[in-house]
Amino acid sequence: MILVVDVGNTNIVSAIYDNDKLCFLFRCKTEKEEVLMNYTNKIKDIFEKNSLDIKNIDGAIISSVVPMINQTLNDVIFKFSGCKAKVLDSSFETGLSICTDNPEKVGSDILCGAAKAFDKYKTSVIVFDFGTANTVCAVDNHGNYLGHSICPGIWTSFRALSEFTAKLPMIDTIPDNMDVIGKNTADSIRSGVVLGTACFVDGMVKKYKKILGDDARVVATGGLARVILPHCETDVDYEENLLLDGLRFLYGLN
């Protein structure tokens, strides 16, 4: 069994794969204290409830956008499994040619999604990841990773509007349906941020396809994708576990 760990700015999402089958998934907050206190207990609980031996973990791989937590997490994983985790970086084989100014600085999370999407669809892909930050990246049909775009995520935008203005409130709920033209402050913020993000998807797909071609596949992942995609006009393939599947794929390549 392989343990894959995706460290984001808000949460650490982990999964256990038996060969290529995702068996278990769990998450905790991206805080050093949270990892030290709870990570080991959470994974041990999963194994005990399913009558599995934790020593059956054969290897582990970490993708992280929070470098300060990497060593702590690796120490915790080694303590309970005896495996030293691989930490995804620019030296890894991804199946892609990274065509950016600084290949070593491309986020490991972005590469996971791009590599898995290209391997799965075997054509040019546009990959959106919706989280603390929203990212969109492009891979052409030759496997060249061309680059990416980054903008604030939904909750990041809500928080920024609340913190940096005097009168705008913090928004903490997102209804399934909303009016394009808000009739009050809260609905106006939701419209601008959520529907604006949907327009970002539609607009960026058009611009990216001018470079990649109209046959480029559009893929989306991330915890907030389900909030955004119903408001998009673009046909998008939703891949809930794209980054975790990507980590399992990259572990196999390396």
Side-chain angles (χ1 to χ4, degrees), residues 8 28 141 154 172 245:
C28 67
N141 57 13
I154 287 179
D172 55 14
D245 290 344

Side-chain angles (χ1 to χ4, degrees), residues 126-131 133-137 149-154 192-210 212 216-222 224-238:
I126 302 167
V127 183
F128 289 86
D129 186 359
F130 301 106
N134 295 332
T135 64
V136 50
C137 66
S149 306
I150 303 172
C151 73
I154 287 179
V193 173
V194 178
L195 300 185
T197 300
C199 293
F200 166 80
V201 173
D202 294 332
M204 292 302 276
V205 167
K206 289 180 181 178
K207 290 184 178 296
Y208 270 51
K209 282 191 173 183
K210 287 181 179 179
L212 294 173
R217 201 73 174 255
V218 183
V219 183
T221 192
L224 292 168
R226 289 180 176 176
V227 174
I228 298 161
L229 295 183
H231 302 289
C232 296
E233 297 177 0
T234 304
D235 184 17
V236 181
D237 292 300
Y238 175 57

Side-chain angles (χ1 to χ4, degrees), residues 92-151:
F92 270 54
E93 172 59 45
T94 62
L96 305 175
S97 297
I98 313 301
C99 305
T100 62
D101 293 341
N102 303 106
E104 71 281 359
K105 293 185 177 181
V106 178
S108 59
D109 55 336
I110 300 177
L111 282 181
C112 280
K116 181 59 183 177
F118 180 73
D119 177 71
K120 179 175 181 177
Y121 293 106
K122 311 296 184 187
T123 187
S124 54
V125 289
I126 302 167
V127 183
F128 289 86
D129 186 359
F130 301 106
T132 305
N134 295 332
T135 64
V136 50
C137 66
V139 180
D140 70 16
N141 57 13
H142 299 293
N144 296 310
Y145 180 91
L146 303 182
H148 46 272
S149 306
I150 303 172
C151 73

Side-chain angles (χ1 to χ4, degrees), residues 132-201:
T132 305
N134 295 332
T135 64
V136 50
C137 66
V139 180
D140 70 16
N141 57 13
H142 299 293
N144 296 310
Y145 180 91
L146 303 182
H148 46 272
S149 306
I150 303 172
C151 73
I154 287 179
W155 294 114
T156 303
S157 297
F158 285 156
R159 189 162 53 249
L161 286 172
S162 175
E163 291 181 2
F164 294 104
T165 64
K167 293 186 176 182
L168 296 181
M170 178 61 190
I171 304 300
D172 55 14
T173 60
I174 304 174
D176 292 334
N177 298 307
M178 61 188 74
D179 294 325
V180 175
I181 302 175
K183 297 297 193 293
N184 56 67
T185 301
D187 284 349
S188 299
I189 294 172
R190 292 188 183 98
S191 172
V193 173
V194 178
L195 300 185
T197 300
C199 293
F200 166 80
V201 173

